[in-house]
Each structure stands twice: as C-alpha cells, then as structure tokens.
Amino acid sequence: MLDPKVSWSRAHDLALVYLALAYRTDSKLSVDEMDTIVDALHSWRSDLELDDVREVAMESLAVLLDRESADESAAAIDRLQKSLSDDERKKALDDVVRIARADGVFLGRERTFVSHLARAWGVKELAAEALH
C-alpha cells in the first residue's frame, strides 16, 4: 500500500489533473473515465502493478474531494508544468483529451479545461488540434 505522505509522486499530480477534468467539469466520474485515467497513469508508471496505479488514482481522488485541499489540483498543474518536458506535457494533454472523451461526451467545460491547461503548460497549439 502506498503512503501518500511518503510517496506523493508525479503520477499523483497527473491523477489530480486527470480527475479534476473528469470530475469537476460535471460532478460525475464514470467507470469509463476512471478506467481511462488508470490506463493513462499506467502508461506513465508501467513499473507499477495495475492495482497500485488504481491506488494512486484513489489517493489523488481523496485529495481532490477534500475541501481543505481545494487548490491542490492547481498546484499539481504548476508542479507538472515545471517537472514535465515539452513532449511529456504534450502526452499528458493527449491523455486529458482522451479522458474527456471517455464517456462519449465532450462537454464545453471539458474543452475549456483543456484550453486552460494547454495555455498553462505552454502547448496552446496542441489544444486547438485536440479540440477539433
């Protein structure tokens, strides 16, 4: 079992961003969205067992839902902007778009989230491609 106080990782930050998109845009988290999030995280951490990746996602979800940690997803976006390479930010943005479409509906709020994230990460041109 992972201890978030000891092992908070870049995968947790990615999960926070992915979950913020999937949950905060419509206050729902579908099974398809969660499965896509776990799959995306596993592509970043293929060294972990799938159950451990799910645990990372669940730990991040707990933080996202904790009212005292309201700004944590914004902090994760900032940390990832600094720690990910340009190619990694592009990959993460692709993951976000894939997660947004996982439930078969690409909401306006999800499009806005993708656009803001791309701007924050300096990959605006990719958002335009992904949103069409």
Side-chain angles (χ1 to χ4, degrees):
M1 180 171 187
L2 299 172
D3 180 355
K5 293 176 186 165
V6 175
S7 61
W8 193 264
S9 66
R10 186 167 71 170
H12 286 89
D13 282 342
L14 286 164
L16 270 174
V17 172
Y18 297 164
L19 288 159
L21 165 83
Y23 179 76
R24 286 199 173 148
T25 54
D26 62 2
S27 299
K28 298 176 189 168
L29 184 61
S30 74
V31 172
D32 290 335
E33 288 170 323
M34 189 57 147
D35 287 347
T36 304
I37 289 168
V38 170
D39 182 61
L41 289 173
H42 196 241
S43 74
W44 289 90
R45 291 297 311 266
S46 59
D47 59 310
L48 294 177
E49 297 292 326
L50 207 50
D51 286 342
D52 290 333
V53 174
R54 277 191 196 91
E55 190 170 331
V56 166
M58 295 308 293
E59 289 168 351
S60 298
L61 182 59
V63 169
L64 185 72
L65 296 176
D66 181 356
R67 296 202 187 276
E68 294 179 20
S69 300
D71 295 332
E72 197 55 38
S73 59
I77 289 170
D78 290 342
R79 286 189 298 267
L80 290 168
Q81 193 281 329
K82 293 171 185 162
S83 70
L84 296 176
S85 69
D86 288 345
D87 286 342
E88 289 172 327
R89 284 194 300 274
K90 290 173 186 176
K91 178 186 182 312
L93 189 65
D94 287 342
D95 289 345
V96 168
V97 171
R98 189 165 53 109
I99 292 161
R101 294 180 178 187
D103 62 358
V105 180
F106 200 13
L107 300 171
R109 288 181 184 168
E110 291 169 328
R111 290 175 185 275
T112 300
F113 185 100
V114 170
S115 181
H116 287 296
L117 182 61
R119 194 167 322 142
W121 283 354
V123 290
K124 287 191 304 190
E125 69 283 352
L126 293 177
E129 289 176 28
L131 295 173
H132 294 306

